[in-house]
Amino acid sequence: MAYHMIFRFRQPRRRFELASQFVMSDQSRAKKSVFGERSAGEEVQEAGVSSAVDIISAIEFDNSGNHLATGDRGGRVVLFERTDTNNSSGTRRELEEADYPLRHPEFRYKTEFQSHDPEFDYLKSLEIEEKINKIRWCQTANGALFLLSTNDKTIKFWKVQDKKIKKICDMNSDPSRAIGNGTIASSSNSNITSSCLVNGGVSEVNNSLCTDFSLPPGGISSLRLPVVTSHESSPMARCRRVYAHAHDYHINSISNNSDGETFISADDLRINLWNLEISNQSFNIVDVKPAKMEDLSEVITSAEFHPTHCNMLAYSSSKGSIRLIDLRQSALCDSHSKLFEEPEQAGPKSFFTEIIASVSDIKFAKEGRYLLSRDYMTLKLWDINMDAGPVATFQVHEYLKPKLCDLYENDSIFDKFECCISGNGLRAATGSYSNLFRVFGVAPGSTETATLEASRNPMRRHVPIPSRPSRTLSSITRVVSRGSESPGVDGNTNALDYTTKLLHLAWHPNENSIACAAANSLYMYYA
């Protein structure tokens, strides 16, 4: 494991800079696994080629922000831990004025384990790939870390704890005074008969037990015994429980409850409620499957528990709506408490209207009042106390609208981009193509916006702050550039690379730090 610090800035303005990049090689695997930027000409190929399993498919901070977990298409979960210590107090500006040495978050590789393996469902003749779809951290206990990981069908509950490695480091006597392992030096074995062998063996000639064994006066000082000592600790992962055979369709979401005892798992048509201690039983709380599959009009795309109210959860659908349900109303939540959807706009609808309206991810803000959602074209902020419409809409890549036919032909229109919101609820971020990600200020009246590229030089694609960034980005996209010589991303989107997309990212719960995954690379940004 090699940990490379790229650079660090001390700037009074809130600008995201690349903090660190992780490069890791796994000697235990037959192939070389790398978390780092690809060299020139190196490509991450599609499934069936060994490098495809290294593509990161899930990323998540724990509640403290001291640990970061990533999952990949190969079924591995890799954990990173924070190494820097922050002994200072005060705001960033106060520390800068006091000339206090600011430090950005520093993470290092902790451990990794194989969470899921490829399986085959013989009843359905269906191959179940090992790709990690979601990772969620659970409450820590007794110094151990707990997390949930899932692929398309099976959820696993993991415990990661540091174990002391015990080794035989020395013997209890000087080796020069002994002969062999456990034999006795010639100066001390004059009274021992030759029929007794090493380690209690018996001579084949006598074929009987040795009965005339006697210790010399003062005992045998040169008898060698191993000494077991505890050396450094090493993190060990152990699967505590397996939650299987509860979903007929692919699992797209898992979410922990604030009570610390239950969690939900969602597939296309159902949401199940689990108890962490019970792996062979779950309760179906949402079922949108119609009596006839021909009548199916929408599917569940994401589900999330409320961060503070254990009885509330939200789930999104492929029609662009978000439903808030209360578990206290009924055991099977067929009806919702609130429905969040954008008012239907007048005018003709195209073939792509419903496709781009599908919500790919939802996230609650830390305090629980606001809800962030991402569809293909926009990022929306909702107030759960107001169901008339979103309180803010941010255009992520409005310039792609003329290219929807091409995006449909290459299936890019079905890409599922995740979103995240800062711990203080003032900023939100989501990904785009060409390994770009957008950061928006979501506070009332905020005009903050930034476009960065997940690379060693994130400011190659720098976007100045316009006057009204939260409503239109047509003026922004014309000035995004990659250096002075290469063409920028203009209205024709000539410079966009649809094969490189930033789907997964996570915001640190307490600081302005973002971890994002681009193919098999993991990048950390801080403000």
Side-chain angles (χ1 to χ4, degrees):
M1 170 69 193
Y3 175 80
H4 299 286
M5 300 306 302
I6 306 302
F7 55 78
R8 181 178 65 183
F9 286 91
R10 292 181 58 192
Q11 298 286 349
R13 297 176 60 86
R14 290 196 178 278
R15 188 178 67 182
F16 281 85
E17 309 290 352
L18 178 63
S20 55
Q21 179 190 22
F22 300 96
V23 181
M24 181 190 68
S25 62
D26 181 7
Q27 301 295 336
S28 63
R29 295 172 66 111
K31 61 183 180 304
K32 186 177 181 182
S33 303
V34 177
F35 280 73
E37 190 173 49
R38 287 171 283 163
S39 58
E42 182 184 357
E43 297 293 337
V44 177
Q45 303 174 30
E46 290 301 320
V49 184
S50 59
S51 59
V53 299
D54 297 324
I55 296 178
I56 299 174
S57 57
I59 183 170
E60 185 79 7
F61 280 105
D62 69 344
N63 290 332
S64 66
N66 294 328
H67 296 90
L68 175 67
T70 65
D72 61 24
R73 290 187 181 180
R76 289 185 307 166
V77 173
V78 183
L79 303 185
F80 299 90
E81 64 179 353
R82 187 167 181 173
T83 58
D84 62 300
T85 55
N86 189 5
N87 297 323
S88 60
S89 60
T91 64
R92 181 187 181 98
R93 185 176 295 276
E94 291 173 350
L95 295 176
E96 286 179 344
E97 292 175 353
D99 199 24
Y100 193 92
L102 292 175
R103 301 187 65 184
H104 61 265
E106 298 177 0
F107 286 79
R108 69 176 180 183
Y109 168 82
K110 181 179 178 67
T111 187
E112 70 174 271
F113 55 90
Q114 188 70 29
S115 175
H116 289 74
D117 294 305
E119 302 175 20
F120 190 82
D121 190 338
Y122 293 96
L123 294 177
K124 298 182 179 180
S125 296
L126 179 66
E127 184 177 356
I128 305 173
E129 62 178 352
E130 65 271 31
K131 170 177 167 283
I132 303 297
N133 291 341
K134 293 290 181 181
I135 296 175
R136 289 294 182 266
W137 290 90
C138 303
Q139 294 181 357
T140 60
N142 300 324
L145 303 175
F146 296 89
L147 54 89
L148 291 166
S149 63
T150 182
N151 63 353
D152 288 338
K153 296 293 184 180
T154 305
I155 308 168
K156 294 186 179 181
F157 183 49
W158 291 90
K159 177 182 179 181
V160 181
Q161 191 173 26
D162 289 338
K163 297 286 187 180
K164 289 186 177 180
I165 302 176
K166 295 183 178 181
K167 295 182 179 179
I168 300 176
C169 62
D170 53 8
M171 299 292 182
N172 66 334
S173 65
D174 186 3
S176 61
R177 298 186 58 190
I179 303 175
N181 182 19
T183 58
I184 304 171
S186 58
S187 59
S188 303
N189 63 356
S190 57
N191 295 334
I192 300 178
T193 177
S194 59
S195 60
C196 293
L197 302 181
V198 178
N199 293 334
V202 182
S203 170
E204 295 181 358
V205 177
N206 295 336
N207 197 22
S208 60
L209 295 175
C210 179
T211 56
D212 55 350
F213 178 82
S214 60
L215 292 174
I220 303 176
S221 60
S222 60
L223 182 64
R224 301 185 64 198
L225 296 175
V227 178
V228 180
T229 60
S230 297
H231 282 256
E232 72 280 356
S233 299
S234 176
M236 302 291 292
R238 185 165 64 94
C239 183
R240 295 288 303 273
R241 290 174 186 86
V242 178
Y243 312 91
H245 312 299
H247 288 276
D248 294 329
Y249 304 92
H250 290 178
I251 300 173
N252 55 48
S253 303
I254 53 175
S255 179
N256 300 95
N257 199 345
S258 58
D259 61 8
E261 297 179 357
T262 57
F263 71 95
I264 57 171
S265 59
D267 61 21
D268 293 339
L269 299 180
R270 293 185 177 92
I271 299 178
N272 293 332
L273 178 67
W274 301 82
N275 189 297
L276 285 170
E277 302 296 328
I278 303 173
S279 60
N280 59 355
Q281 184 180 6
S282 65
F283 298 94
N284 179 230
I285 57 176
V286 175
D287 190 347
V288 299
K289 184 178 180 180
K292 296 180 180 180
M293 289 299 290
E294 296 81 13
D295 299 331
L296 182 65
S297 60
E298 61 180 340
V299 296
I300 299 171
T301 57
S302 181
E304 187 87 2
F305 256 123
H306 192 279
T308 57
H309 299 310
C310 61
N311 58 289
M312 295 175 59
L313 64 94
Y315 70 92
S316 59
S317 76
S318 58
K319 280 192 172 182
S321 61
I322 301 174
R323 291 173 173 84
L324 189 69
I325 61 176
D326 192 338
L327 298 178
R328 297 172 299 184
Q329 290 182 345
S330 62
L332 182 61
C333 302
D334 292 326
S335 60
H336 50 266
S337 301
K338 288 188 178 181
L339 175 65
F340 304 96
E341 58 183 359
E342 205 160 16
E344 187 173 348
Q345 298 179 355
K349 295 183 179 180
S350 68
F351 171 75
F352 308 107
T353 301
E354 187 171 329
I355 298 178
I356 64 176
S358 177
V359 178
S360 58
D361 190 29
I362 58 173
K363 291 288 193 307
F364 274 103
K366 192 173 184 178
E367 80 287 348
R369 176 174 178 178
Y370 293 98
L371 183 65
L372 190 69
S373 68
R374 169 67 200 268
D375 55 44
Y376 187 72
M377 302 297 294
T378 64
L379 188 69
K380 294 184 176 71
L381 185 69
W382 306 80
D383 188 338
I384 64 173
N385 296 330
M386 300 168 54
D387 53 3
V391 295
T393 301
F394 308 92
Q395 302 292 341
V396 180
H397 36 223
E398 180 73 10
Y399 45 81
L400 290 181
K401 275 192 174 180
K403 295 287 185 180
L404 292 180
C405 290
D406 297 335
L407 294 168
Y408 180 78
E409 290 295 330
N410 58 26
D411 289 338
S412 296
I413 200 172
F414 301 105
D415 289 332
K416 299 183 181 301
F417 293 95
E418 294 181 0
C419 60
C420 61
I421 190 167
S422 61
N424 55 17
L426 300 180
R427 295 169 186 85
T430 189
S432 183
Y433 293 103
S434 297
N435 286 343
L436 298 177
F437 68 96
R438 309 294 309 276
V439 181
F440 300 96
V442 298
S446 175
T447 58
E448 287 187 69
T449 186
T451 299
L452 296 99
E453 181 184 17
S455 68
R456 289 180 179 271
N457 184 11
M459 303 311 295
R460 285 189 297 180
R461 297 179 178 268
H462 178 65
V463 178
I465 298 177
S467 58
R468 295 183 62 85
S470 61
R471 292 299 179 265
T472 174
L473 297 180
S474 58
S475 60
I476 302 177
T477 57
R478 285 193 287 269
V479 298
V480 181
S481 62
R482 182 193 288 269
S484 58
E485 299 179 357
S486 58
V489 180
D490 55 11
N492 297 324
T493 65
N494 293 326
L496 279 180
D497 182 5
Y498 301 124
T499 61
T500 58
K501 43 203 169 189
L502 199 151
L503 301 176
H504 313 287
L505 72 172
W507 205 300
H508 192 283
N510 305 317
E511 299 177 357
N512 276 322
S513 301
I514 297 178
C516 56
N520 62 342
S521 302
L522 175 64
Y523 297 93
M524 294 284 296
Y525 292 84
Y526 76 105

